[in-house]
Amino acid sequence: MSETIKIKGGNILRGEVDISSSKNAAVAILPSVVLASEIVKLYDVPNIKDIQVLIKLLGLLHIKVQVDGDALTIDPTNIEEVVLDDPDVNKLRASYYFMGAMLGRFKHVKMLYPGGCNLGPRPIDLHLKGFESLGATVRQEEGLIEISAEKLIGDDIYLDIASVGATINIMLAAVFAEGRTTIKNAAKEPEIIDLSSMLNKMGAVIRGAGTSEITIDGVKRLKGCIHDIIPDRIEAGTYIIMAAAVGDHMRVNNVIPQHLGSLLAKLEEMGVKMDVGIDYVTVLDSSHMKSVDIETLPFPGFATDLQQPLTALLCKAEGDSKVTETIYEERFKHCYELNKMGADIEVETGRSLIHGGKSLHGASVRATDLRCGAALIIAGLMAEGETEIFDAYHIYRGYDSVIEKLRKLGAEVE
Ligand code: EPU
């Protein structure tokens, strides 16, 4: 696939777009199959680069994955514990879920550090502290991390930060631990609920996912299951923002509106009129948009993953908008790219100030990370003239069939 996306701006987008399943749920669910003793069948798996890499990593563990459209049949019956030192481990953040899953299954894991979008420092100390609380020992050498335990014993674990990754990783490691593990100040993101419901179908005993206290009662074995993955709330949010930017009654299908409460509230505050149905959102009118201030927070607060796409829209809204980023204080690289297109955004550590009411023009820009790429697509659609987005591979990591979906809506994109 080409590494450059070209967009000719100015087209009005119409019709409907179907949202794919959640990347951040799927990238936890695939490694979790390491814990299963039988076949797991997954439906609605998004066709994105991160999933292709995870399928390869599962293969290295001798887990057979059969792909049939968006369905995966994953057979872990011949699983073998190997050192995950393949360079692809570095290609995505979610490879860190092999730590929890393999520690749970084999009481041992040795692998490279995870990669992922460069959003500033992304430590994994809370994951490791969690594993240690369960009785594991962590050793780090030459880029590899080795975690081992004679046995894992449930414990009370308080997370200093409600981290999505640490909550999921501890859940994975604790499924087979002896006794009860309680995660306090757990993250509440919907993707955590989805993983927990799948693990419970397989025989795990996890309660409280979606609240700040999760308990996991250890079991001896997980069987197989069939699971449909939840819709991607960030992809949905991206297309809803796009609909407000350049749509005419554009409808976004396969949405769980409850997962998008903070975005929908902000769009309403901006003056965007929407029809919010049980599983869709149609943007009815966005002709008079005014500025808003946003602060990113853990769920159900405003998602950090949506502040970048929303910034593109705020360039158009009248007035000054302030964005405060409390999750990743360096997640502002998109602002410099948007400025190349005629935006007027000032950036300081942890915040940006968007002077709105600007008309954007096409330019050559770079997708520095996945959601920066999404912001640039929205900006490119709004801009006059042609926009070239380099390093588009970041976008393919997380947005399923993005070119096809945009074309179907009437965008001129290649
Ligand atoms: N943190 C620590 N120590 C840790 C773990 C996290 O200090 O051990 C800090 C992070 O540096 C950050 C905050 O805690 O400041 C929250 O990080 P979290 O662990 O929740 O993030 P993550 O699990 O690494 C996931 C998503 C991100 C999304 C964040 C926040 C996946 C694979 N990634 O990352 O998604 O931005 O939660 O919601 O689920 C994306 O999809 O574009 C993306 C970056």
Side-chain angles (χ1 to χ4, degrees), residues 23-25 27-28 50 92-97 117 119-128 161-168 187 189 191 232-234 297-299 303-305 308 326-329 331 369-371 397-399:
K23 163 178 99 73
N24 287 347
V27 298
D50 275 11
L92 77 169
R93 190 84 195 140
S95 45
Y96 58 22
Y97 293 134
C117 288
L119 311 174
R122 297 182 78 180
I124 55 166
D125 55 309
L126 299 173
H127 305 228
L128 303 181
I161 302 171
S163 151
V164 176
T167 301
I168 290 180
E189 271 67 1
E191 294 75 22
D232 193 311
R233 64 194 165 96
I234 307 301
L297 288 169
F299 189 83
T304 169
D305 298 342
Q308 293 167 288
T326 73
I327 313 287
Y328 298 114
E329 63 176 25
R331 199 172 199 173
D369 57 85
L370 168 61
R371 310 298 172 188
R397 283 189 44 214
Y399 286 90

